Amino acid sequence: MMMLVKYAGKFSNGSWDAVQCDYVLPVELRPPVEVNAMVCVSNGQTARMLVANPNGTIRCANMGAAGSNQGCVGSLCYPIS
């Protein structure tokens, strides 16, 4: 089986600003290691990452440079047993 984590939204434009999901993944759906993927920002101005952690937290973050407050979408996928 595979787990799909999807994000769509926007948040503040600081170089390293991030938003953390209020939902925490249940133990059986957590990845064994940190899993991340690039997120597409509507204006293409900055890089963003979507991250799922082994502790069940999910966050989306600007990755330096100019930052952006534009809307973005992204997803990541990993196997679960």
Side-chain angles (χ1 to χ4, degrees):
M1 290 197 310
M2 299 292 283
M3 177 66 181
L4 174 69
V5 177
K6 199 170 138 182
Y7 176 79
K10 59 168 84 175
F11 54 93
S12 55
N13 65 350
S15 295
W16 298 101
D17 285 355
V19 62
Q20 183 162 315
C21 181
D22 292 335
Y23 177 78
V24 176
L25 293 167
V27 173
E28 63 274 9
L29 299 178
R30 295 177 183 178
V33 297
E34 180 182 286
V35 180
N36 57 57
M38 292 300 294
V39 175
C40 295
V41 180
S42 63
N43 66 0
Q45 198 173 24
T46 191
R48 278 196 178 155
M49 294 291 287
L50 178 60
V51 181
N53 293 297
N55 66 2
T57 58
I58 303 167
R59 70 184 181 95
C60 187
N62 286 333
M63 300 305 290
S68 175
N69 63 354
Q70 298 293 310
C72 63
V73 295
S75 62
L76 58 83
C77 192
Y78 57 88
I80 55 173
S81 17

